[in-house]
Amino acid sequence: MAPAVAVMTVALLYPIAYMVYASFLDWNPSQRIGEATFVGLRNYTSLWSDESFKESLQVTLKFAAFVVSLEMVIGVGLALLLDRNIRGMSVLRTIFILPMMIAPIVVGLIWRYMYHPTVGVFNKTLNSFGFESVPWLSDSFWSLTSIIIADIWQWTPFIFILSLAALQSLPKSALEAARIDGASGWQQIIHIKLPLMLPVLIVTCLLRLIDAFKVLEVVLVMTNGGPGLSTEILSLRIARTASEFRELGVAAAMSNYLLLVLMMLTIAMFVYTKISESRAEKLKRAVEEY
Amino acid sequence: MTLLKSIAGLSAGMLLASSAIAGPYDPYKGTTLVVNFPAHPHYDAVKRVLPEFTKETGIRVEVDQLQYLKMREKQTLELTKNKGDYDLLAYVVFSKADYVYADQLENLAKYFMNPKLADPNYDADDLIEGYVANIGVAGGKKGYMSGPTGSLFGVPFGSETSVLGYRKDIFEKHGLEVPETYDELLDLACKIPELEPGMGGLASRAASGHHASHAFLLHLAPLGGRIFDDEWNPTVNNAAGVKAAQALKTIVECGPEGSKTFGFAEAGASFLQGTSAMFLDSTVFAGSVNDPSKSKVVGKIGWAPHPMGVRKGSQTGGFGIAIPKNANNKEAAFLLMQWLTSKKADKLVALAGGNPSRYSTHADAEVNAKFPHMAVFGEALKDADPDWRPIIPVWGKINADLGTSLSKVLTEDLDIQIALDGVAERSKVIMEEAGYYTWQ
């Protein structure tokens, strides 16, 4: 027990403690950490008067909210549609999860070329049908939309795969009973499938949410945060603060804010699993007693 | 015994004789230097020339090449170590502020004073003055330029200025004059799309951040503006600043399709693909216009100096080379630095496709025969402005803010005055925090 605790403390907590300590320093990368001056909570408080940080936080929240909700709807929807025995299903499933397996930098590059104003496939297609070109990456509304679309393309399969697994492990008896009672397709989905899938869906959703808050490479390659600050998500802001502005303390403070948000989500996930477990336990006991 | 003595005497005599005629490089023969260079056309050319150095001196050179934007991070780590891995490094000009301020680069005075190391035929007067002031010297005027209190920490190597590239065929076809002033330039930039439908006037970078800021600064100096006045008060939002931003906006609006998000590479590609008629940016680009594998406009490009506004002022930038304080072989590194920036090697590098840092190389007949644009570049260099952007440690932050604000001007139609007022206001806070107003 003791060695395990020691290893955990050193390997897990030391880097986090280091980051927390760094967030109280005015530290630039040309200094060793010992040479940096201690500034208390200044890095944390000054961020709230930093318009760019606030804008970046807003962008992150907007991005995470949109991608996760759209991905959930599309992913679960696809799973419900494809939960049947079609020939070639396994091939189809493999193809579906391909986007997830591509390196993020490559995803960014692919989409950047597809969004290219003149030679990109989207504008070329639009033009050939006689429509105007869309400023995919050069307009603040469209560029955020563009990165949301790319993220949905990449990560919907994740939700699809998990929902499909959940669907296929649903108790057949409940569905059969419903069918015999004459429930329509929609009724089965709304009253039986979705409620039974809910525990998996919530965990999936939280995992995606945590991931969406940390997305970096795809945005970095596609827009590098622009135009203006319209796609400068928090992780990009942190990276720039550390390397471009050379303010390691401020970057650490930002990371800690992000960590807090993610921690709250994780705790929410933990609490939810605990509650549902205890509820299942209670139900089981009730059944046994009965 | 006598035989032994005489042999000893003879060999001692030979030893003396050989040390008397020893060359400056002999003590360092067999040394291996580790140098950090960017992946950049100039340094690719340098790599082709380096074997010549090893042949001449017996000093071996190991090159660690990095993407140039990644160098600062790696070097910052290297320079804070007790014993560094690099004996010589090429640095991006704005790193000078960080490295010199953190006392991480060797002051070159003691090397140039050392008669065993300094080559009397080095001819430092031949080094392009603006580059030396911008890249090599620190501690003079405003802290980052040359002046009575300045001293040398690096030597420009792979330096760049801005020039105007234009399509000779298009200009001839419509009887256009090569612009010499900003009014002519802006006028022409918007006239070309009318004359040649589908073609942009001038390909400029404009992407949010560093690119937009760089493009703006290119116009700011010739139009008479500066980021700060001599007391470090932001002046970026004065009339000249507004005019520069207006110029950038005009250029981007009359530019090729999609130019609002162009970085340096995209702007260059547009010019090489023949979708814009002019290009105003770094000289480093000139090497690729006549390369048929990259360019569709081989043989159609002419070069002219950066047009003037109220004054002439092209950019100064690129790289310098310096010896880290924690280097292992400083003297040998100095010899390499001196050799690379000598007249002979500057010419060799230029012939291999690099950017020379000496006036004499720009005027050299052999170099001009191979690269006819070199004479124009040499002319442009005389107006290179070492103060076109401030090289201070907080510049990274101000530069980013300027770049995103200008991007908003270009893509969201934010009012120029409001945008620049915002930059000035925020810069003031950054400068205040950094202590620039302590004496006011």
Side-chain angles (χ1 to χ4, degrees):
Chain A
M1 187 66 186
V5 172
V7 169
M8 286 279 275
T9 323
V10 174
L12 269 175
L13 294 182
Y14 181 76
I16 295 178
Y18 202 86
M19 180 171 80
V20 172
Y21 173 58
S23 69
F24 298 122
L25 301 175
D26 180 6
W27 181 24
N28 87 56
S30 289
Q31 296 168 311
R32 295 182 188 185
I33 194 161
E35 297 165 352
T37 30
F38 187 83
V39 291
L41 285 170
R42 196 187 77 186
N43 290 335
Y44 288 93
T45 48
S46 68
L47 277 178
W48 293 110
S49 51
D50 180 352
E51 289 304 318
S52 308
F53 171 73
K54 281 193 265 182
E55 193 169 338
S56 150
L57 190 65
Q58 253 175 31
V59 171
T60 314
L61 292 173
K62 222 191 283 177
F63 174 79
F66 273 109
V67 297
V68 175
S69 45
L70 287 169
E71 282 166 16
M72 286 303 289
V73 171
I74 302 174
V76 175
L78 278 177
L80 288 170
L81 277 175
L82 292 175
D83 175 32
R84 57 190 71 180
N85 292 321
I86 314 171
R87 225 168 1 133
M89 191 58 212
S90 55
V91 178
L92 202 63
R93 254 178 249 157
T94 319
I95 293 174
F96 259 131
I97 59 168
L98 273 180
M100 229 166 72
M101 301 194 276
I102 304 176
I105 296 279
V106 180
V107 172
L109 281 172
I110 296 172
W111 282 89
R112 187 165 139 193
Y113 288 121
M114 293 205 293
Y115 285 133
H116 191 282
T118 46
V119 298
V121 65
F122 292 123
N123 274 355
K124 265 192 168 170
T125 315
L126 284 175
N127 291 342
S128 69
F129 285 112
F131 294 106
E132 287 262 309
S133 296
V134 170
W136 295 107
L137 298 177
S138 55
D139 173 273
S140 45
F141 167 77
W142 279 108
S143 61
L144 187 63
T145 314
S146 301
I147 61 168
I148 288 175
I149 294 175
D151 194 88
I152 291 175
W153 175 82
Q154 194 185 8
W155 288 109
T156 301
F158 173 76
I159 292 169
F160 165 72
I161 280 286
L162 289 184
S163 327
L164 195 61
L167 261 177
Q168 290 177 341
S169 59
L170 291 187
K172 292 274 175 292
S173 53
L175 286 167
E176 237 157 68
R179 219 171 297 138
I180 291 165
D181 288 345
S184 71
W186 274 110
Q187 282 170 329
Q188 284 181 40
I189 288 172
I190 291 167
H191 297 294
I192 298 170
K193 288 182 183 172
L194 285 182
L196 284 174
M197 280 164 76
L198 201 61
V200 177
L201 291 187
I202 286 190
V203 174
T204 315
C205 178
L206 280 168
L207 281 175
R208 265 312 293 144
L209 211 52
I210 290 172
D211 234 26
F213 272 101
K214 297 191 303 180
V215 63
L216 171 70
E217 298 95 332
V218 177
V219 183
L220 182 80
V221 174
M222 276 174 64
T223 65
N224 197 12
L229 290 175
S230 57
T231 55
E232 185 155 295
I233 37 144
L234 211 50
S235 46
L236 188 56
R237 183 92 200 150
I238 293 171
R240 291 184 75 189
T241 306
S243 64
E244 225 173 287
F245 315 156
R246 296 166 61 89
E247 293 171 337
L248 297 180
V250 181
M254 276 187 209
S255 313
N256 284 339
Y257 275 133
L258 186 60
L259 186 69
L260 280 180
V261 174
L262 296 181
M263 207 129 83
M264 281 192 295
L265 287 174
T266 318
I267 290 171
M269 184 163 95
F270 184 72
V271 169
Y272 176 81
T273 15
K274 271 273 164 268
I275 291 174
S276 51
E277 259 171 31
S278 69
R279 199 194 287 150
E281 193 68 20
K282 228 184 266 167
L283 263 175
K284 209 170 142 197
R285 222 175 295 141
V287 170
E288 274 164 12
E289 273 165 28
Y290 185 75
Chain B
M1 194 65 198
T2 42
L3 186 73
L4 210 69
K5 254 188 192 165
S6 62
I7 289 176
L10 197 70
S11 53
M14 270 166 68
L15 211 79
L16 267 174
S18 70
S19 72
I21 55 152
Y25 298 112
D26 288 357
Y28 309 100
K29 214 171 214 165
T31 313
T32 301
L33 295 172
V34 182
V35 300
N36 178 214
F37 286 162
H40 179 275
H42 175 78
Y43 286 90
D44 294 339
V46 172
K47 272 175 81 178
R48 289 194 281 275
V49 172
L50 275 174
E52 184 71 20
F53 173 74
T54 307
K55 209 171 85 189
E56 209 174 289
T57 64
I59 302 172
R60 282 189 292 271
V61 184
E62 213 173 90
V63 181
D64 178 20
Q65 261 184 318
L66 288 175
Q67 201 264 337
Y68 83 97
L69 290 170
K70 297 267 169 286
M71 285 198 328
R72 192 159 164 232
E73 242 176 288
K74 176 90 189 279
Q75 290 176 351
T76 300
L77 275 177
E78 278 296 325
L79 289 170
T80 41
K81 296 200 313 202
N82 283 330
K83 250 191 177 328
D85 288 333
Y86 296 138
D87 295 306
L88 186 73
L89 51 81
Y91 57 96
V92 185
V93 54
F94 46 78
S95 300
K96 177 179 88 175
D98 304 315
Y99 301 165
V100 172
Y101 192 66
D103 199 18
Q104 291 164 332
L105 297 182
E106 285 283 299
N107 189 322
L108 295 178
K110 66 180 177 218
Y111 300 96
F112 280 111
M113 281 174 86
N114 186 336
K116 288 180 184 157
L117 295 173
D119 178 359
N121 297 316
Y122 183 65
D123 193 6
D125 285 334
D126 185 37
L127 290 170
I128 290 153
E129 203 186 333
Y131 285 164
V132 177
N134 180 258
I135 298 168
V137 179
K141 204 173 156 222
K142 295 190 189 177
Y144 59 85
M145 283 194 298
S146 56
T149 53
S151 47
L152 193 69
F153 290 90
V155 181
F157 192 55
S159 334
E160 300 156 16
T161 188
S162 49
V163 279
L164 179 74
Y166 62 95
R167 287 280 295 277
K168 286 189 288 192
D169 53 333
I170 303 286
F171 274 57
E172 260 164 40
K173 185 174 158 193
H174 300 286
L176 303 172
E177 293 273 324
V178 179
E180 283 174 10
T181 67
Y182 256 82
D183 291 337
E184 290 168 17
L185 176 77
L186 295 177
D187 191 42
L188 211 54
C190 290
K191 209 158 126 192
I192 284 164
E194 288 168 20
L195 296 171
E196 285 280 327
M199 181 176 265
L202 192 151
S204 164
R205 26 178 152 179
S208 188
H210 175 70
H211 291 296
S213 167
H214 187 105
F216 165 78
L217 289 165
L218 278 179
H219 309 313
L220 184 67
L223 290 170
R226 285 277 184 256
I227 300 289
F228 299 108
D229 66 9
D230 289 342
E231 269 92 47
W232 300 110
N233 298 305
T235 53
V236 62
N237 54 341
N238 65 14
V242 172
K243 213 169 158 198
Q246 191 61 57
L248 175 63
K249 194 170 181 191
T250 309
I251 286 169
V252 170
E253 275 169 2
C254 296
E257 201 177 345
S259 48
K260 284 175 182 173
T261 51
F262 277 0
F264 180 67
E266 287 93 347
S270 160
F271 189 53
L272 292 182
Q273 293 303 309
T275 55
S276 13
M278 292 185 283
F279 178 78
L280 181 69
D281 213 312
S282 163
T283 41
V284 64
F285 181 70
S288 40
V289 296
N290 287 329
D291 174 356
S293 67
K294 292 179 189 156
S295 165
K296 287 186 183 167
V297 291
V298 176
K300 293 179 183 165
I301 304 300
W303 298 98
H306 193 130
M308 71 177 281
V310 297
R311 65 176 172 222
K312 289 186 172 182
S314 53
Q315 76 160 92
T316 43
F319 304 92
I321 42 179
I323 305 168
K325 270 255 161 83
N326 60 3
N328 293 315
N329 304 297
K330 293 180 191 170
E331 292 181 344
F334 174 77
L335 288 173
L336 172 61
M337 171 195 247
Q338 184 175 244
W339 188 89
L340 284 174
T341 54
S342 69
K343 279 185 178 168
K344 180 184 161 190
D346 201 49
K347 183 174 161 183
L348 285 176
V349 173
L351 287 171
N355 304 30
S357 308
R358 286 176 171 269
Y359 293 116
S360 62
T361 317
H362 282 91
D364 187 274
E366 208 181 320
V367 175
N368 270 289
K370 192 165 180 192
F371 300 108
H373 56 255
M374 214 47 102
V376 177
F377 289 10
E379 214 38 52
L381 280 169
K382 294 188 178 139
D383 307 310
D385 179 357
D387 198 18
W388 73 295
R389 70 177 163 198
I391 308 170
I392 51 178
V394 290
W395 174 244
K397 201 168 184 188
I398 297 169
N399 188 39
D401 184 26
L402 181 61
T404 41
S405 304
L406 286 166
S407 173
K408 285 183 188 169
V409 167
L410 296 174
T411 60
E412 295 168 21
D413 268 325
L414 175 65
D415 181 71
I416 289 176
Q417 189 68 56
I418 293 174
L420 293 180
D421 285 348
V423 174
E425 200 182 301
R426 291 184 292 272
S427 303
K428 186 114 193 166
V429 177
I430 295 170
M431 297 297 277
E432 171 91 63
E433 275 172 19
Y436 283 90
Y437 304 130
T438 314
W439 290 79
Q440 283 185 19

